[in-house]
PDB file of all heavy atoms in Angstrom:
ATOM      1  N   HIS U 364      14.502  -8.154  19.630  1.00  0.00           N
ATOM      2  CA  HIS U 364      15.886  -8.585  19.606  1.00  0.00           C
ATOM      3  C   HIS U 364      16.142  -9.271  20.968  1.00  0.00           C
ATOM      4  O   HIS U 364      16.338  -8.601  21.955  1.00  0.00           O
ATOM      5  CB  HIS U 364      16.807  -7.396  19.406  1.00  0.00           C
ATOM      6  CG  HIS U 364      16.559  -6.631  18.148  1.00  0.00           C
ATOM      7  ND1 HIS U 364      16.947  -7.071  16.906  1.00  0.00           N
ATOM      8  CD2 HIS U 364      15.921  -5.441  17.936  1.00  0.00           C
ATOM      9  CE1 HIS U 364      16.591  -6.202  15.997  1.00  0.00           C
ATOM     10  NE2 HIS U 364      15.967  -5.228  16.581  1.00  0.00           N
ATOM     11  N   PRO U 365      16.098 -10.617  20.993  1.00  0.00           N
ATOM     12  CA  PRO U 365      16.246 -11.284  22.288  1.00  0.00           C
ATOM     13  C   PRO U 365      17.656 -11.095  22.888  1.00  0.00           C
ATOM     14  O   PRO U 365      18.659 -11.092  22.162  1.00  0.00           O
ATOM     15  CB  PRO U 365      16.008 -12.745  21.938  1.00  0.00           C
ATOM     16  CG  PRO U 365      15.302 -12.738  20.621  1.00  0.00           C
ATOM     17  CD  PRO U 365      15.802 -11.532  19.898  1.00  0.00           C
ATOM     18  N   ILE U 366      17.682 -10.936  24.190  1.00  0.00           N
ATOM     19  CA  ILE U 366      18.933 -10.960  24.972  1.00  0.00           C
ATOM     20  C   ILE U 366      19.082 -12.386  25.508  1.00  0.00           C
ATOM     21  O   ILE U 366      18.150 -12.909  26.129  1.00  0.00           O
ATOM     22  CB  ILE U 366      18.849  -9.941  26.127  1.00  0.00           C
ATOM     23  CG1 ILE U 366      18.664  -8.525  25.619  1.00  0.00           C
ATOM     24  CG2 ILE U 366      20.106 -10.047  27.019  1.00  0.00           C
ATOM     25  CD1 ILE U 366      18.287  -7.531  26.680  1.00  0.00           C
ATOM     26  N   GLY U 367      20.194 -12.992  25.254  1.00  0.00           N
ATOM     27  CA  GLY U 367      20.452 -14.311  25.803  1.00  0.00           C
ATOM     28  C   GLY U 367      20.987 -14.208  27.239  1.00  0.00           C
ATOM     29  O   GLY U 367      21.729 -13.276  27.568  1.00  0.00           O
ATOM     30  N   ALA U 368      20.617 -15.138  28.069  1.00  0.00           N
ATOM     31  CA  ALA U 368      21.141 -15.156  29.441  1.00  0.00           C
ATOM     32  C   ALA U 368      22.671 -15.364  29.386  1.00  0.00           C
ATOM     33  O   ALA U 368      23.197 -16.101  28.561  1.00  0.00           O
ATOM     34  CB  ALA U 368      20.532 -16.297  30.261  1.00  0.00           C
ATOM     35  N   LEU U 369      23.375 -14.696  30.278  1.00  0.00           N
ATOM     36  CA  LEU U 369      24.814 -14.811  30.317  1.00  0.00           C
ATOM     37  C   LEU U 369      25.264 -16.149  30.917  1.00  0.00           C
ATOM     38  O   LEU U 369      26.253 -16.737  30.486  1.00  0.00           O
ATOM     39  CB  LEU U 369      25.420 -13.673  31.109  1.00  0.00           C
ATOM     40  CG  LEU U 369      26.957 -13.545  31.135  1.00  0.00           C
ATOM     41  CD1 LEU U 369      27.538 -13.390  29.761  1.00  0.00           C
ATOM     42  CD2 LEU U 369      27.382 -12.399  32.056  1.00  0.00           C
ATOM     43  N   THR U 370      24.495 -16.586  31.894  1.00  0.00           N
ATOM     44  CA  THR U 370      24.828 -17.861  32.581  1.00  0.00           C
ATOM     45  C   THR U 370      23.651 -18.851  32.485  1.00  0.00           C
ATOM     46  O   THR U 370      22.497 -18.425  32.298  1.00  0.00           O
ATOM     47  CB  THR U 370      25.225 -17.643  34.045  1.00  0.00           C
ATOM     48  OG1 THR U 370      24.105 -17.084  34.762  1.00  0.00           O
ATOM     49  CG2 THR U 370      26.424 -16.730  34.145  1.00  0.00           C
ATOM     50  N   MET U 371      23.914 -20.123  32.651  1.00  0.00           N
ATOM     51  CA  MET U 371      22.898 -21.137  32.563  1.00  0.00           C
ATOM     52  C   MET U 371      21.857 -20.893  33.662  1.00  0.00           C
ATOM     53  O   MET U 371      22.176 -20.773  34.842  1.00  0.00           O
ATOM     54  CB  MET U 371      23.501 -22.523  32.760  1.00  0.00           C
ATOM     55  CG  MET U 371      24.484 -22.912  31.653  1.00  0.00           C
ATOM     56  SD  MET U 371      23.708 -23.032  30.019  1.00  0.00           S
ATOM     57  CE  MET U 371      22.608 -24.440  30.297  1.00  0.00           C
ATOM     58  N   GLY U 372      20.596 -20.766  33.223  1.00  0.00           N
ATOM     59  CA  GLY U 372      19.520 -20.511  34.166  1.00  0.00           C
ATOM     60  C   GLY U 372      19.640 -19.169  34.874  1.00  0.00           C
ATOM     61  O   GLY U 372      18.927 -18.957  35.861  1.00  0.00           O
ATOM     62  N   SER U 373      20.508 -18.277  34.391  1.00  0.00           N
ATOM     63  CA  SER U 373      20.785 -17.010  35.036  1.00  0.00           C
ATOM     64  C   SER U 373      21.181 -17.227  36.499  1.00  0.00           C
ATOM     65  O   SER U 373      20.909 -16.388  37.362  1.00  0.00           O
ATOM     66  CB  SER U 373      19.592 -16.050  34.942  1.00  0.00           C
ATOM     67  OG  SER U 373      19.439 -15.554  33.631  1.00  0.00           O
ATOM     68  N   ALA U 374      21.841 -18.342  36.748  1.00  0.00           N
ATOM     69  CA  ALA U 374      22.228 -18.706  38.122  1.00  0.00           C
ATOM     70  C   ALA U 374      23.602 -18.238  38.500  1.00  0.00           C
ATOM     71  O   ALA U 374      24.024 -18.346  39.666  1.00  0.00           O
ATOM     72  CB  ALA U 374      22.121 -20.226  38.319  1.00  0.00           C
ATOM     73  N   GLY U 375      24.380 -17.727  37.526  1.00  0.00           N
ATOM     74  CA  GLY U 375      25.689 -17.201  37.836  1.00  0.00           C
ATOM     75  C   GLY U 375      26.782 -18.214  38.094  1.00  0.00           C
ATOM     76  O   GLY U 375      27.870 -17.887  38.584  1.00  0.00           O
TER      77      GLY U 375
END
Side-chain angles (χ1 to χ4, degrees):
H364 302 284
I366 299 167
L369 185 61
T370 62
M371 297 296 294
S373 288

